[in-house]
Amino acid sequence: MLIKTSRYGPGRVRPSEITPKGVWLNRRELLKRAGFGAAAFAVPWASWPGLAHAGRKLENLVESGWMLDEDLTSLEDITTYNNFYEFGTGKGDPARYSGGFKPLPWSIRVGGECEKPGVIDYEDLIGSYPVEERVYRLRCVEAWSMVVPWAGVQLSEVLRRFQPTSKAKYAAFETVYRPEEMPGQERGFLDWPYVEGLRIDEAMHPLSLLAVGLYGEELPNQNGAPVRLVVPWKYGYKSIKSIVSITFVEEEPPTTWNQQAPHEYGFYSNVNPERSHPRWSQKRERRVGGSLFASKIPTLKFNGYEEEVASLYAGMDLIKHH
Ligand SMILES: Nc1nc2c(c(=O)[nH]1)N[C@H]1C(S)=C(S)[C@@H](COP(=O)(O)O)O[C@H]1N2
Ligand SMILES: [Mo]
């Protein structure tokens, strides 16, 4: 089942190339194309077995130019095959063990090198900025990938409100620390809380998304409720979940996986088939949910967004700065 948008060719569709009605698929249509009938659309997540969080339907979703003409990964696969070590290291652990996590109410502290440090409340976030639906690939360093219909707010729009100063060279992100709700945090899998960082121009790039939902509903716990980052040209682990703070800083901030294994995970972590990882080839990837016998597909440089983001790294050695 392929979404026919041959007019735009394979791969990403650029906003400038589309007429909103031409490519836009409404949610009902998205679900159908992902293999759900119209009936499935009416079933709230609460009644799905094994799903940890029943999300509200997001109102007023805005059409977006950032779509892909690829089969969407099913909601079930997106919500049962996760990396979220706060709930365990197994792919099924986040769906299984995140039921006690209470994402709402929620707010994010924003501070550091900015004129107007403050707090942004979740309801304010989804109420004051356009919440866009964007279909992105999530490419994990472990050589699997998914195609996800995210809903989210462009990160740059939110960051601008706090007026970063000229000293804001990077943005540092932090996941919530709540061992009583996140059983993995009782164990030493990683140094908690999980932290990530972007260079400021990466954070301000229009592709960078603060995701608040998928398939038109609020994020389930296992996918990083209620707010997580999605940076589609970087490996999945840069997309930090359940964010409680964003800090503008002058120096490159520490990142969890880089601290854990510096030679395996660099600060930039751009999807790059040319730069091998000691344990997983980065040349090809397996689509989650596909047949076990399906052949792997080639991994694209910058996950397919070379045209949009390559200029951010002009002159940089991306093997050294991996
Ligand atoms: N806080 C936190 N964020 C995280 C992780 C994590 O363990 N903890 N795992 C990362 C990794 S390795 C990947 S591949 C993606 C997976 O996102 P998904 O479960 O929504 O597919 O989340 C990233 N964000
Ligand atoms: Mo990952």
Side-chain angles (χ1 to χ4, degrees):
M1 175 186 44
L2 190 78
I3 301 178
K4 298 284 185 211
T5 51
S6 51
R7 213 180 118 201
Y8 308 105
R12 80 197 146 17
V13 174
R14 298 169 57 210
S16 56
E17 291 173 350
I18 65 163
T19 54
K21 290 206 179 55
V23 175
W24 176 249
L25 306 169
N26 65 32
R27 256 167 285 145
R28 198 182 191 86
E29 194 64 13
L30 284 171
L31 287 168
K32 263 197 297 199
R33 284 165 196 252
F36 296 91
F41 185 67
V43 179
W45 293 4
S47 59
W48 283 52
L51 289 191
H53 170 68
R56 257 184 305 176
K57 189 166 170 293
L58 285 159
E59 301 299 333
N60 308 320
L61 275 188
V62 174
E63 298 180 0
S64 132
W66 300 105
M67 305 296 275
L68 291 171
D69 62 347
E70 291 177 32
D71 288 350
L72 299 175
T73 304
S74 73
L75 176 61
E76 193 180 356
D77 284 324
I78 293 173
T79 55
T80 55
Y81 192 89
N82 301 98
N83 271 339
F84 198 172
Y85 278 28
E86 282 82 344
F87 297 109
T89 55
K91 296 287 180 276
D93 289 347
R96 229 173 274 132
Y97 303 120
S98 63
F101 181 66
K102 293 180 192 62
L104 299 179
W106 193 267
S107 56
I108 301 175
R109 240 176 322 111
V110 184
E113 301 291 351
C114 60
E115 302 291 349
K116 299 222 157 86
V119 169
I120 183 158
D121 182 69
Y122 174 76
E123 301 297 335
D124 179 16
L125 178 75
I126 61 172
S128 350
Y129 300 93
V131 180
E132 293 178 40
E133 201 149 23
R134 299 186 178 195
V135 177
Y136 286 162
R137 282 181 220 99
L138 184 138
R139 206 298 188 176
C140 181
V141 77
E142 296 163 313
W144 50 265
S145 63
M146 304 186 187
V147 183
V148 184
W150 299 108
V153 171
Q154 195 167 300
L155 177 62
S156 65
E157 308 260 329
V158 180
L159 295 185
R160 267 193 208 106
R161 158 162 163 182
F162 299 90
Q163 299 180 17
T165 67
S166 59
K167 284 189 174 167
K169 302 276 198 277
Y170 297 87
F173 301 81
E174 201 175 283
T175 292
V176 72
Y177 181 68
R178 281 190 199 166
E180 60 296 345
E181 293 179 23
M182 300 177 133
Q185 286 182 335
E186 304 272 24
R187 318 266 303 269
F189 301 136
L190 296 171
D191 276 339
W192 312 111
Y194 195 101
V195 291
E196 252 311 330
L198 294 174
R199 213 171 56 193
I200 198 72
D201 56 345
E202 299 176 323
M204 290 298 186
H205 193 281
L207 280 166
S208 296
L209 193 69
L210 270 182
V212 296
L214 50 88
Y215 273 108
E217 292 187 6
E218 288 178 325
L219 284 177
N221 288 344
Q222 57 269 41
N223 292 88
V227 185
R228 55 91 59 83
L229 192 63
V230 181
V231 193
W233 71 95
K234 294 177 181 280
Y235 291 112
Y237 62 87
K238 291 295 280 188
S239 292
I240 181 173
K241 294 172 168 178
S242 306
I243 297 168
V244 284
S245 80
I246 305 176
T247 312
F248 296 106
V249 293
E250 198 168 7
E251 306 292 336
E252 188 182 285
T255 69
T256 288
W257 286 102
N258 178 249
Q259 282 180 319
Q260 205 69 18
H263 64 290
E264 294 189 29
Y265 308 99
F267 177 81
Y268 286 94
S269 309
N270 293 314
V271 173
N272 187 352
E274 292 145 35
R275 200 264 168 194
S276 59
H277 180 279
R279 285 180 284 151
W280 301 282
S281 163
Q282 301 304 318
K283 288 195 166 56
R284 305 178 81 74
E285 62 200 54
R286 174 183 66 83
R287 266 302 139 76
V288 171
S291 151
L292 284 177
F293 306 102
S295 51
K296 290 187 171 183
I297 50 182
T299 287
L300 303 172
K301 186 135 192 214
F302 298 115
N303 209 10
Y305 295 104
E306 185 161 16
E307 205 179 305
E308 287 80 5
V309 303
S311 63
L312 296 176
Y313 310 103
M316 275 177 72
D317 177 348
L318 292 178
I319 302 298
K320 189 164 155 230
H321 297 282
H322 61 85

